[in-house]
Amino acid sequence: MANFICFVSLGPGEPELITLKGWKALQQSDAIFCPATRTKAGDVVSRAAEIVRALQIDEKKIRTFVLPMRKEREEALQVYEQLLRDVKQLHSEGRQVAITAEGDAGFYTSIQYIYGKLEAEQLPIRRIAGIPAFIAAGAAGGLHIVKQEERLVVIPGTATADELDKYLSGNYTIVIMKLSACVDAVHQCIARHPDAEFHYFENVGTPNEYYTSDWDVIGNKSFPYFSLIIIQKA
Ligand code: SAH
């Protein structure tokens, strides 16, 4: 069997929401690279690694790579370059390598940088699809994200209140990822559109999952990194 470097989507957080194919790829891997962050207290935390552990994969296979939280591009590039060297080394030794990402590995993930580099070097890669967080959120909140003639737009936290106005008037359901970056835009949108529905989710698929559609609550809270909102016309 050809030895692929495999990008494995882990799903939104609940270990059972990985695909069977993704799980098998983890079982067959010799090394599993998981993105991690460092807390203010200096601890390395990795949701990806936690999912892998919960799937009863041998702990010894897990290797974390710590990404800087803020947009320190230089620092991040160094981390990616080191990861790239490690992956290529293991691959050249004939080891099965997996690189993981939460949600779907091709949907707003930082590892696309590594993917592009490996692809450019014509190394054998493949990617296993996964459930993105907003799809899991829809299920958790009992929503039909789009129905009939509705359209869907997924935007990152760079959204502005004017942009949200435009989409809402155009029959779009709006999904905003990386919500912590656009708190004001969301609060303004709530004030401008009392007729719309706001479905706010935090930590979907984890023990800290939180969901509310209460405007007052959403309009007065700050948003952590693992949060998203789905805005629909009522
Ligand atoms: N690849 C991921 C997205 C990564 S971008 C996917 O397919 O879903 C990171 C953003 O995804 C976060 O800022 C947040 O908006 C969202 N996100 C990821 N996991 C989440 C979760 N469990 N609950 C709520 N939002 C989540």
Side-chain angles (χ1 to χ4, degrees):
M1 195 183 81
N3 184 359
F4 288 97
I5 298 166
C6 194
F7 288 79
V8 180
S9 303
L10 297 176
E14 194 175 341
E16 289 193 355
L17 288 182
I18 191 173
T19 62
L20 198 50
K21 189 167 181 174
W23 186 48
K24 285 184 180 169
L26 294 180
Q27 287 175 325
Q28 287 160 9
S29 297
D30 299 306
I32 302 170
F33 288 90
C34 296
T37 50
R38 198 178 297 280
T39 63
K40 286 198 182 96
D43 300 321
V44 172
V45 289
S46 170
R47 279 198 174 208
E50 273 169 36
I51 298 170
V52 175
R53 281 189 198 104
L55 291 166
Q56 324 238 299
I57 304 292
D58 184 357
E59 170 79 36
K60 291 194 288 294
K61 295 181 181 180
I62 300 175
R63 301 174 187 218
T64 51
F65 55 97
V66 179
L67 291 167
M69 254 324 228
R70 279 166 290 132
K71 290 191 172 159
E72 292 146 349
R73 195 68 190 144
E74 263 312 303
E75 206 183 309
L77 286 181
Q78 281 172 19
V79 175
Y80 295 137
E81 288 299 334
Q82 183 60 50
L83 173 61
L84 198 58
R85 284 194 289 274
D86 292 345
V87 167
K88 281 161 61 179
Q89 176 69 32
L90 285 162
H91 177 74
S92 70
E93 292 167 2
R95 307 288 186 85
Q96 294 276 346
V97 179
I99 303 170
T100 63
E102 292 151 67
D104 178 77
F107 196 78
Y108 286 127
T109 56
S110 49
I111 55 170
Q112 48 100 4
Y113 178 83
I114 308 289
Y115 190 95
K117 290 268 179 170
L118 294 171
E119 195 175 36
E121 294 187 31
Q122 300 187 334
L123 285 159
I125 46 179
R126 67 174 183 177
R127 200 166 78 210
I128 298 174
I131 299 177
F134 81 92
I135 292 290
L143 311 176
H144 290 90
I145 295 176
V146 273
K147 46 192 178 303
Q148 295 169 347
E149 305 297 311
E150 288 169 358
R151 297 160 180 204
L152 175 67
V153 61
V154 182
I155 46 184
T158 51
T160 63
D162 290 346
E163 221 180 323
L164 300 179
D165 286 350
K166 192 183 73 190
Y167 287 125
L168 275 174
S169 56
N171 206 23
Y172 280 90
T173 290
I174 308 167
V175 174
I176 311 179
M177 316 279 295
K178 305 183 188 180
L179 202 57
S180 48
C182 67
V183 181
D184 290 345
V186 171
H187 289 175
Q188 282 172 38
C189 183
I190 290 175
R192 290 185 195 177
H193 296 273
D195 53 329
E197 286 179 10
F198 295 82
H199 301 278
Y200 170 83
F201 298 87
E202 247 171 61
N203 297 308
V204 173
T206 75
N208 299 328
E209 180 173 303
Y210 173 76
Y211 163 64
T212 183
S213 56
D214 184 324
W215 301 336
D216 270 350
V217 176
I218 304 169
N220 287 298
K221 82 185 291 310
S222 58
F223 306 134
Y225 179 73
F226 283 105
S227 67
L228 62 87
I229 198 163
I230 301 178
I231 309 174
Q232 294 179 311
K233 273 202 176 147

